[in-house]
Amino acid sequence: MLLELGQVHLFQHWPDPGVDDHYKKALLDQVDILNSSYPGGLSSYIKTARELLADSKAGRNPFDGFTPSVPSGEVLTFGDDKFMQYEEIGVKEVRNAAFVLVAGGLGERLGYNGIKVALPTETTTGTCFLQYYIESILALSEASFKQAQGEFRRDVPFVIMTSDDTHERTLQLLESNAYFGMKPTQIKLLKQEKVACLADNDARLALDPNNKYIIQTKPHGHGDVHALLYSSGLLKEWKDAGLRWVLFFQDTNGLLFKGIPSALGVSASKEYHVNSLAVPRKAKEASGGITKLTHTDGREMVINVEYNQLDPLLRATGHADGDSNCETGYSPYPGNINQLILELGSYIDELSKTGGAIKEFINPKYTDSTKTAFKSSTRLECMMQDYPKTLPASARVGFTVTEKWLAYAPVKNNPQDAAKVPKGNANQSATSGEMAIYRANNMILKKAGVNVDNPVMHVFNSQEVEVWARVVWKPKWAVTFADVKNKVSRNNSVSQKSTLVIKGRDIFIEDLSLDGALIVDSVDDAKVKVGGSVCNNGWIMESIDKDSSAFPEEIRTRGFKINRMEQLEKSYGEPGNFSLTS
Ligand SMILES: O=c1ccn([C@@H]2O[C@H](COP(=O)(O)OP(=O)(O)O[C@H]3OC[C@@H](O)[C@H](O)[C@H]3O)[C@@H](O)[C@H]2O)c(=O)[nH]1
Ligand SMILES: [Mg+2]
């Protein structure tokens, strides 16, 4: 097969039989993996690569013939009637959903030594991303099944796509934490394989510079998730079990689940086959723009245009300013946060046609303008949000825009790069990601009638951030705004220096005046009223030096530590009614 595919160079340097046989066999084992893990096998990979390499050499781009324009979608405002209705519908639908986390990326921009899902979302409680995701899925499904009295309770499936870079450590994180409360059978890990590198325009496979019996490989991108789900047989299993929705999300967004219920409500109400979540986007931010593309032949699609392609596309189609803000101070194109909600039936139909293959792209770096040689080997790549590109015109493809403070604060940049982000654009660092969680929780409490102090500005790791009271709650306390409103009543106030951690489910905040740190926990059958005046020295945030070896990497990367001076900590371990009033 390899000879037919023009890959004779892989063998030309081979010594006589009997020499290095075991390396030669290993090469063929590797070929076997590369062949079986790609939809259509290596022949399909090489064919596509030749086409895309020829297009790239000729300077044809995938957007040729398309004109971009601003699409219209569902725009939500946190806390209004429509938002709350969608949340209610969305929670109901969770029992028919499966969740998929793509976590195969190394996070080169972040430069963290561990896996990204092990990073703390915030350091008040130290909850890591994976724990937050799992507890959110559990809390949402609990809320969903509660509404469906008597209905068969299934375990809402959770899939994590890993890669060789993340697989072992993800598994270890789950195992050493008892799967954060999920049943081990509820979670499936699917590992993506890397793809073969290409050495030249003829798509000759590249050999590892240090070992001529190994084909060099690189990541193929998060688009692999579709082929993996399809070939795993899980989609069919889910369909047979009556599921309707598959929700995709990424590895480091501490606000991720705040936008899920309403967006799922939008999907269900509008019967969207594809619903992408978006937030207002600042020009030049590293997030793709949701764009309507109209082709000269009449074709139309609403699709993500990746951040590195938006500016050239706009310039090539008569927008001299390229990727720039409009009069609103934002890019007119909503920013893709890569949380996708797919309707399972149409998803399976589509993947049955494509085998899970996603439209790919190639990005070779040429040595010179003749475009005959590459600086280093290249490979095909694909993105999960490109799934709609092959859909028929009849597909219902929409998107939902929510406020940025509510739904998106990823941790993607290391402190040095985050400090260079233009003022007004998101830092996307561990520092800003943590602050965004406190801000969102304060904003939500404020909307529910709590008197919260305004934030103060602080500089940590050379980034200026708003510091609000450190308010954190477990997902089981509230998954929707209606839950928050139900658990907060009368006159409450929280000062800026405060820390409020709510760990139990039935904790009711009533006439609380907090100026300090308060941590409340309770078992599920305890009902606790939290009120009165709580005043203590609290937990103070102190700047630290990001280069000081005195602190672990998780702390250095945010530029502050929490000094736990004094707190009121209460835990209710027995069922019954309790009241904390001081
Ligand atoms: O091969 C891969 C690459 C990445 N991933 C995962 O895919 C997710 C996204 O990866 P990155 O964080 O590198 O993505 P980027 O920041 O480059 O862009 C992504 O998020 C922001 C959106 O606006 C972009 O449209 C989207 O492509 C992560 O969860 C990562 O772990 C894989 O699972 N496999
Ligand atoms: Mg990336």
Side-chain angles (χ1 to χ4, degrees):
M1 179 190 72
L2 288 170
L3 294 178
E4 278 166 17
L5 293 172
Q7 306 294 335
V8 65
H9 69 285
L10 295 177
F11 312 104
Q12 270 168 338
H13 61 274
W14 278 22
D16 289 342
V19 183
D20 285 351
D21 279 3
H22 123 106
Y23 289 118
K24 296 173 189 167
K25 283 179 184 156
L27 177 93
L28 294 179
D29 286 343
Q30 189 197 9
V31 166
D32 204 24
I33 293 175
L34 292 171
N35 191 46
S36 60
S37 60
Y38 184 83
L42 268 177
S43 65
S44 168
Y45 182 78
I46 289 167
K47 182 168 168 277
T48 308
R50 286 192 182 131
E51 287 165 12
L52 290 175
L53 284 164
D55 283 350
S56 171
K57 189 170 182 201
R60 274 189 295 273
N61 83 53
F63 296 112
D64 271 353
F66 282 105
T67 309
S69 61
V70 180
S72 63
E74 187 68 24
V75 180
L76 303 181
T77 306
F78 174 79
D80 70 7
D81 289 347
K82 189 171 78 169
F83 180 88
M84 291 183 70
Q85 277 159 17
Y86 278 138
E87 280 206 319
E88 196 182 334
I89 299 167
V91 168
K92 228 178 260 168
E93 288 296 327
V94 166
R95 62 179 177 270
N96 302 318
F99 291 83
V100 180
L101 163 64
V102 290
L106 207 48
E108 280 166 343
R109 280 198 276 149
L110 184 63
Y112 173 56
N113 279 311
I115 50 170
K116 289 191 281 174
V117 292
L119 263 181
T121 55
E122 34 76 17
T123 49
T124 295
T125 68
T127 306
C128 72
F129 283 103
L130 192 54
Q131 176 174 9
Y132 162 65
Y133 296 158
I134 288 178
E135 289 182 349
S136 297
I137 294 169
L138 289 173
L140 271 170
S141 50
E142 184 63 33
S144 189
F145 281 109
K146 216 161 145 185
Q147 289 187 6
Q149 290 285 338
E151 204 173 288
F152 167 73
R153 274 188 179 236
R154 67 163 74 89
D155 295 327
V156 168
F158 179 35
V159 169
I160 308 175
M161 181 171 79
T162 57
S163 67
D164 280 321
D165 296 327
T166 62
H167 187 84
E168 285 309 318
R169 286 177 288 175
T170 306
L171 193 59
Q172 202 187 349
L173 180 65
L174 287 166
E175 283 176 347
S176 56
N177 289 284
Y179 288 75
F180 296 111
M182 233 178 213
K183 291 181 200 161
T185 50
Q186 196 171 350
I187 304 184
K188 290 250 164 21
L189 266 54
L190 300 178
K191 185 164 76 74
Q192 63 177 146
E193 296 295 338
K194 292 185 177 161
V195 288
C197 291
L198 308 159
D200 58 26
N201 282 325
D202 294 325
R204 265 191 277 268
L205 302 183
L207 286 167
D208 189 321
N210 302 314
N211 186 334
K212 287 195 174 348
Y213 295 105
I214 294 178
I215 295 171
Q216 203 184 10
T217 59
K218 284 184 181 167
H220 188 225
H222 37 68
D224 278 347
V225 72
H226 302 295
L228 275 176
L229 281 175
Y230 184 67
S231 63
S232 71
L234 281 172
L235 297 180
K236 180 154 185 315
E237 215 174 275
W238 294 346
K239 180 97 194 294
D240 293 344
L243 297 192
R244 281 189 67 199
W245 309 105
V246 190
L247 289 90
F248 295 84
F249 57 90
Q250 302 195 151
D251 51 17
T252 59
N253 179 9
L255 302 178
L256 202 146
F257 277 87
K258 296 196 192 289
I260 291 280
S262 56
L264 184 52
V266 171
S267 273
S269 307
K270 301 194 172 274
E271 301 189 318
Y272 278 155
H273 294 152
V274 178
N275 183 12
S276 309
L277 271 68
V279 296
R281 172 181 185 278
K282 286 279 186 185
K284 302 186 176 64
E285 260 176 6
S287 60
I290 308 270
T291 307
K292 181 170 172 180
L293 295 176
T294 310
H295 199 271
T296 42
D297 66 13
R299 269 180 300 149
E300 261 183 22
M301 59 179 159
V302 174
I303 195 84
N304 172 71
V305 175
E306 198 61 341
Y307 45 92
N308 56 344
Q309 306 216 297
L310 190 59
D311 187 75
L313 172 66
L314 289 168
R315 285 179 197 278
T317 50
H319 303 81
D321 294 339
D323 180 13
S324 56
N325 292 324
C326 63
E327 60 288 351
T328 59
Y330 287 89
S331 158
Y333 301 93
N336 168 44
I337 66 173
N338 244 10
Q339 290 178 223
L340 310 177
I341 305 178
L342 304 187
E343 193 271 324
L344 180 59
S346 63
Y347 183 42
I348 293 184
D349 289 347
E350 178 65 14
L351 295 194
S352 311
K353 286 184 229 153
T354 60
I358 296 301
K359 271 242 178 291
E360 293 162 303
F361 60 94
I362 198 160
N363 193 10
K365 307 277 188 298
Y366 300 103
T367 47
D368 59 39
S369 58
T370 63
K371 294 190 176 177
T372 41
F374 307 155
K375 282 186 187 154
S376 63
S377 67
T378 186
R379 86 292 196 179
L380 298 186
E381 295 179 72
C382 64
M383 300 191 290
M384 72 169 167
Q385 66 269 35
D386 280 344
Y387 162 74
K389 283 191 171 164
T390 57
L391 287 176
S394 59
R396 287 188 296 279
V397 181
F399 66 94
T400 305
V401 184
T402 49
E403 287 135 300
K404 193 174 208 162
W405 65 263
L406 180 71
Y408 194 50
V411 178
K412 292 181 188 264
N413 286 330
N414 61 56
Q416 292 81 351
D417 291 339
K420 289 184 218 141
V421 167
K423 209 175 150 72
N425 287 20
N427 296 110
Q428 303 200 338
S429 65
T431 316
S432 64
E434 174 159 356
M435 293 305 135
I437 293 171
Y438 305 140
R439 177 178 55 200
N441 288 341
N442 274 268
M443 304 269 276
I444 292 169
L445 286 186
K446 197 170 175 174
K447 185 89 188 163
V450 177
N451 195 348
V452 298
D453 272 357
N454 285 331
V456 296
M457 301 305 288
H458 261 291
V459 175
F460 298 117
N461 278 356
S462 309
Q463 303 155 53
E464 193 179 39
V465 288
E466 279 181 7
V467 182
W468 296 73
R470 272 68 69 208
V471 177
V472 187
W473 57 75
K474 285 269 186 198
K476 68 176 168 184
W477 184 70
V479 288
T480 61
F481 184 48
D483 292 341
V484 175
K485 279 175 79 162
N486 177 30
K487 284 176 174 163
V488 172
S489 59
R490 300 174 71 107
N491 292 311
N492 300 291
S493 65
V494 178
S495 72
Q496 190 277 334
K497 76 160 224 219
S498 294
T499 294
L500 174 61
V501 181
I502 308 173
K503 294 183 174 172
R505 189 182 66 189
D506 290 328
I507 291 174
F508 294 84
I509 312 286
E510 200 177 308
D511 284 326
L512 172 71
S513 160
L514 177 62
D515 185 31
L518 172 62
I519 294 97
V520 200
D521 196 359
S522 62
V523 293
D524 282 355
D525 298 321
K527 224 173 151 169
V528 185
K529 206 155 95 184
V530 173
S533 169
V534 176
C535 185
N536 56 46
N537 288 325
W539 292 4
I540 307 302
M541 294 173 59
E542 281 174 18
S543 290
I544 58 152
D545 175 3
K546 71 171 167 29
D547 300 318
S548 156
S549 57
F551 304 101
E553 194 181 359
E554 293 74 15
I555 299 298
R556 276 187 282 129
T557 182
R558 20 202 113 222
F560 62 85
K561 70 173 179 110
I562 293 179
N563 196 351
R564 293 166 170 75
M565 312 274 286
E566 194 186 354
Q567 68 279 323
L568 177 64
E569 188 160 8
K570 287 275 189 180
S571 186
Y572 299 85
E574 302 294 324
N577 287 312
F578 305 91
S579 170
L580 176 154
T581 7
S582 42

